[in-house]
Amino acid sequence: MIWDPKHECMDIEERRALQLRRLREQVARLWVNVPFYRQKWEAAGVTPDDLQSLDDLRRFPFTEKDDLRKTYPFGMFATPLEEVVRIHASSGTTGKPIVVGYCKSDVTDIWAETIARTICCGGGTSQDILHNAYGYGLFTGGLGVHYGGELLGCTVVPMSAGNTQRQLMMMCDLGATILASTPSYALTIADAAEEMGLGPDDIPLKAGLFGAEPWSEGSRQVVEEKLGISAHDIYGLTEIIGPGVAAECEVKGMMHVFDDHFLPEIIDPETGEVLPDGETGELVFTTLTKRAFPVIRFRTRDITSLTHEPCPCGRTHARIARITGRTDDMLIIRGVNVFPSQIEDVLTSFAEIEPQYQLVLTRKGRLDQLEVQVEVAPRFFSDTIGGLEQLEQRITEKLYSTLGISVTVRLVEPKTIERSIGKAKRIIDLREEE
Ligand code: ADP
Ligand code: ZN
């Protein structure tokens, strides 16, 4: 089911006209309401009148995460606080948190709507029991998914994250059909299910909505098999709204960006130049409709590519490819750029290991060293020492041939890497302390 066919399957030219109209209104509002933007635009020599076409947006300067930190907490709000009904904050994975606000219509007319679209992308309907294991609180995942689930008419179970065995018990007892969580928590749940002797047939789930952190096709396969579900990638970020920015339909592989609300661009992160469809770069968003906390050309630091090719599902939104990672998480190992998700891709191609890993960075002299610690699957752990050494060797070689870097691989015992309940912490950087 498509939640809002009028907007999701709109004729592309018609949507572009809508986007331009909304963009012009938004920019004109911010010119009056947010001194930060007006100053920045004046300095760049642009005014709202310069927006005659969508391409004219390129003349406007970017908004950076740092701009949002400098105006902490309310400097970027475009409505008075008395109209703000909700506050959230980014999890601060990469520094001081960023505080964002929502007015009533932001929550009901945009956020809940785009989450309802997201759930429908994953095959959900009002018949579903939605087990929501995203964390509730300042993090946008929990409450964001919650309101969209209710709008669609699902029976929402507001579990939040943690206490995994209890989660599984509730899922089975209540007959949950959709699981919403981070992909790493889905792996934790799948693991716990196995330990409790629950197979895919014992678990009522049919679909999963997984996002908030990078993951790989290999992990998708693992959770799909262990939980007996169809796993969908969903994308969002606090600064734009939270979850509900983009979602994967049944076609999979790419995510529909709900671009009647969130206008995407891909830029070259070095030069800031806009890149054509198909080229990989940094994702930039402009919110077209949000009122309390709009952003213009916000640099997400997330790396992906964009396409406007039609999707067989009928939705006509632009689509983004799986997010490789954020520029902040990119490792530079002896001159080669690597994202943890690329390492995960290689690791999950080995049946003998679990997609549970950590990347430990150290420095020897002036050279950075990377050790990949990864868990052996329990059924292979009984293998001989020689067998395990050989496996280490094979993984090292595959990492080298795929990524072009030589790293140390260390197999660790099953269940020794700490399980994630939210966003997994994959990188352990010991470089400063040496
Ligand atoms: P923080 O930036 O503090 O982690 P958020 O919770 O807003 O705060 O996280 C948003 C970020 O999470 C995105 O910018 C992106 O890096 C990552 N993310 C969200 N969804 C996905 C996804 N489906 N795939 C990869 N990364 C994702
Ligand atoms: Zn589609």
Side-chain angles (χ1 to χ4, degrees):
M1 179 180 106
I2 295 179
W3 172 248
D4 177 4
K6 174 168 176 250
H7 290 102
E8 294 180 80
C9 307
M10 204 172 216
D11 171 75
I12 300 230
E13 284 313 311
E14 206 184 318
R15 186 183 292 112
R16 284 178 66 85
L18 177 70
Q19 287 168 331
L20 179 61
R21 200 170 68 236
R22 289 178 167 177
L23 177 63
R24 294 184 53 147
E25 278 170 19
Q26 183 76 284
V27 166
R29 254 188 91 230
L30 296 181
W31 178 263
V32 178
N33 292 359
V34 183
F36 165 87
Y37 280 113
R38 185 171 185 149
Q39 281 157 17
K40 201 159 182 164
W41 295 340
E42 277 177 342
V46 287
T47 72
D49 288 337
D50 290 319
L51 273 176
Q52 297 302 321
S53 76
L54 284 175
D55 284 347
D56 291 333
L57 183 57
R58 295 175 188 193
R59 300 173 54 188
F60 284 69
F62 296 115
T63 306
E64 310 262 357
K65 266 181 208 264
D66 223 35
D67 294 324
L68 307 190
R69 289 201 181 101
K70 280 189 201 133
T71 49
Y72 175 91
F74 301 133
M76 295 290 269
F77 282 33
T79 47
L81 268 185
E82 66 233 46
E83 282 175 38
V84 171
V85 299
R86 179 98 65 79
I87 293 287
H88 279 287
S90 80
S91 39
T93 315
T94 57
K96 201 174 160 82
I98 286 161
V99 169
V100 299
Y102 305 76
C103 65
K104 216 169 219 164
S105 66
D106 292 337
V107 173
T108 55
D109 302 347
I110 307 173
W111 205 6
E113 287 284 336
T114 56
I115 291 290
R117 293 180 188 183
T118 297
I119 300 169
C120 290
C121 273
T125 68
S126 60
Q127 307 294 310
D128 280 296
I129 298 185
L130 173 63
H131 182 102
N132 187 9
Y134 282 111
Y136 280 66
L138 280 176
F139 174 56
T140 51
L143 285 167
V145 167
H146 186 101
Y147 280 74
E150 287 188 353
L151 178 67
L152 174 58
C154 298
T155 307
V156 181
V157 186
M159 279 304 292
S160 201
N163 202 343
T164 309
Q165 296 203 342
R166 182 148 178 272
Q167 300 246 1
L168 275 156
M169 182 193 82
M170 291 290 274
M171 256 182 244
C172 292
D173 292 351
L174 305 184
T177 49
I178 301 181
L179 167 65
S181 72
T182 61
S184 60
Y185 193 45
L187 281 171
T188 304
I189 292 175
D191 246 25
E194 234 174 17
E195 268 172 36
M196 291 162 72
L198 298 170
D201 293 339
D202 308 309
I203 301 169
L205 292 174
K206 61 170 201 206
L209 304 172
F210 304 133
E213 62 181 353
W215 56 308
S216 65
E217 283 304 319
S219 294
R220 171 167 13 222
Q221 244 179 29
V222 172
V223 283
E224 285 192 333
E225 277 165 23
K226 290 191 179 172
L227 295 176
I229 59 173
S230 166
H232 294 254
D233 196 5
I234 70 170
Y235 171 82
L237 63 165
T238 312
E239 295 88 343
I240 302 306
I241 199 152
V245 175
E248 206 176 38
C249 68
E250 67 273 17
V251 177
K252 303 213 176 154
M254 297 200 103
M255 292 181 274
H256 288 283
V257 178
F258 300 124
D259 56 0
D260 45 331
H261 295 292
F262 317 114
L263 185 69
E265 298 172 274
I266 297 285
I267 62 160
D268 177 327
E270 304 292 328
T271 65
E273 198 188 323
V274 176
L275 297 177
D277 274 15
E279 284 192 28
T280 299
E282 179 179 345
L283 186 57
V284 169
F285 275 112
T286 296
T287 60
L288 299 174
T289 48
K290 252 174 55 172
R291 296 190 64 79
F293 192 94
V295 286
I296 303 294
R297 302 200 85 199
F298 177 73
R299 290 186 62 157
T300 64
R301 302 189 189 175
D302 291 327
I303 301 297
T304 183
S305 64
L306 197 61
T307 177
H308 287 81
E309 288 286 305
C311 179
C313 77
R315 294 175 182 86
T316 53
H317 301 288
R319 283 177 295 160
I320 49 171
R322 191 180 266 288
I323 309 273
T324 328
R326 30 176 142 200
T327 46
D328 319 63
D329 285 346
M330 191 177 75
L331 305 170
I332 304 177
I333 311 289
R334 291 182 291 282
V336 179
N337 300 348
V338 191
F339 284 102
S341 64
Q342 292 173 290
I343 295 176
E344 181 175 317
D345 264 335
V346 173
L347 296 179
T348 52
S349 66
F350 288 86
E352 300 92 332
I353 55 182
E354 297 282 339
Q356 299 287 354
Y357 64 96
Q358 264 172 354
L359 308 175
V360 183
L361 276 169
T362 51
R363 188 169 288 154
K364 258 206 195 111
R366 287 165 65 190
L367 281 185
D368 286 345
Q369 310 275 333
L370 175 64
E371 181 175 88
V372 179
Q373 301 180 347
V374 59
E375 270 181 23
V376 184
R379 63 185 188 286
F380 286 96
F381 195 65
S382 50
D383 215 345
T384 58
I385 301 274
L388 293 177
E389 275 171 2
Q390 217 187 31
L391 177 60
E392 261 175 8
Q393 187 58 28
R394 276 168 42 227
I395 300 171
T396 310
E397 279 163 16
K398 183 137 186 211
L399 282 168
Y400 183 75
S401 67
T402 318
L403 307 174
I405 49 164
S406 58
V407 301
T408 317
V409 173
R410 190 152 72 83
L411 296 177
V412 300
E413 283 181 37
K415 320 285 175 208
T416 47
I417 288 177
E418 197 190 339
R419 294 296 184 261
S420 150
I421 61 165
K423 300 189 189 218
K425 184 166 164 35
R426 304 289 190 197
I427 302 173
I428 299 175
D429 192 343
L430 302 175
R431 284 176 301 183
E432 260 87 44
E433 289 145 44
E434 292 204 346

